[in-house]
Amino acid sequence: MAKQNFRDTQQAAGRILAELKQGRYAPLYLLSGEEGFYTDKISAYIAAHALNDSEREFNQTVVYGKETDGPTVVSLCRRYPMMSQRQVVIVREAQAMRNFDALGVYAQQPLASTVLVICYKGKSFDKRSVVYKQLAGCPGAVVLEASTPRDYEMEGWMRDLFAARGCRIEPKAIQMLADHLGTELQKIDNEVEKLFTRLPDGTQEITAAHIEQNIGISKDYNNFELTRALSERNMARALTIADHFAANPKDNPLPATLATLFHHFQRIVTLGIAQWENRKQGRPAMTGLSEMEIARLLKLPAPFFAKEYIGAAANYPNAKVFTILGWLREFDMKSKGMNAGSADDGELLRELILRIAML
């Protein structure tokens, strides 16, 4: 079985949750992978809905891998429910459990009245292993391997997150969230949950101002605004943002900014190479490339950003971008304490921007 990409993960998790909402429960759920968001979401739904309040007290057991072992869990699974059609056994942090292989043996003859949920977070199974084949081969088993999203996949996921709450979100607001929170799905979901408790009823679209006011991310001083200032070669604006970052280092860590800048200039050179290839073939640089196609080529959050990169490619020929990428690697090492001297993070960022300005 090929490893799922993040889109596959979303779709598979959606199907599992849809089945659960229809009251259809499998005898075994094997929830694994690097990204734990959907593992938590599915296991939480089962914990809240598989049994009613009166059944849950006697028929739901939650154990943690570090505190139990395989034979103990098997013993729990082989009990019959009390005054209920099913019992639920949830194993959290199963990757830390001793004698895990015992669950594979149980999976060959599971008890029909038990719903076993195995939360194997932070890593994937070796699909060649005997225990994986036993668990996945359990009749009716549901298997999910959750992959970590790429940066460019966050836009669609966040749009879906807000759409599920009946709301749109503008591209700049998405970029602000992505820059500030990265690809930690649970962290983003928590922040969005808090955001909706503060918004007026009937809010139809989330803007950058909503994000600034309710999540504490400045709409004027953030990595998105820094990359845009650099794209336009507005160095005065870029230095102003750098000064703000220096004054607020906890909210604007240099490693995150350098990673954003590296990704940004990688996109610029990718577009520059595409333009060069067009010219080499005797075509105008951007012939046949719509904003939608540029967005797809650069894996942009939305076509809205394509114009910025067209301008940035004009401002930064490929040779200059290669130099900047080298500097970014250099400053990444300095931010980690190598050959940085006494310069703090704010001074390092300012020096980097001044180098780019003089290039």
Side-chain angles (χ1 to χ4, degrees), residues 150-152 227 230-231 257-274 294 297-300 309 312-313 316-318 320-326 328-329:
R150 306 277 187 174
D151 292 344
Y152 61 84
T227 56
L230 290 172
S231 292
T257 297
L258 292 175
T260 298
L261 292 177
F262 192 84
H263 192 42
H264 181 67
F265 280 98
Q266 275 187 321
R267 283 173 166 166
I268 293 172
V269 79
T270 297
L271 182 56
I273 290 170
I294 292 171
L297 171 70
L298 303 184
K299 297 183 173 62
L300 298 175
Y309 282 93
Y316 296 94
N318 290 347
K320 287 188 176 182
V321 180
F322 288 131
T323 299
I324 292 168
L325 291 173
L328 285 165
R329 292 189 183 93

Side-chain angles (χ1 to χ4, degrees), residues 206-280:
I206 304 301
T207 66
H210 288 129
I211 301 301
E212 180 177 45
Q213 293 161 9
N214 296 284
I215 297 183
I217 308 169
S218 172
K219 66 181 176 63
D220 297 317
Y221 300 99
N222 54 65
N223 287 328
F224 169 77
E225 292 296 333
L226 177 60
T227 56
R228 185 165 71 171
L230 290 172
S231 292
E232 298 169 354
R233 291 199 69 86
N234 184 346
M235 296 306 174
R237 172 69 177 149
L239 287 168
T240 299
I241 294 170
D243 289 341
H244 177 85
F245 284 10
N248 301 274
K250 289 185 179 179
D251 294 332
N252 306 279
L254 182 58
T257 297
L258 292 175
T260 298
L261 292 177
F262 192 84
H263 192 42
H264 181 67
F265 280 98
Q266 275 187 321
R267 283 173 166 166
I268 293 172
V269 79
T270 297
L271 182 56
I273 290 170
Q275 291 174 325
W276 175 81
E277 288 176 343
N278 274 353
R279 286 192 295 267
K280 185 179 178 182

Side-chain angles (χ1 to χ4, degrees), residues 110-128:
L111 198 63
S113 56
T114 294
V115 176
L116 171 60
V117 184
I118 302 170
C119 303
Y120 199 92
K121 292 174 65 177
K123 60 193 299 187
S124 298
F125 273 98
D126 179 356
K127 295 179 178 58
R128 299 167 298 180

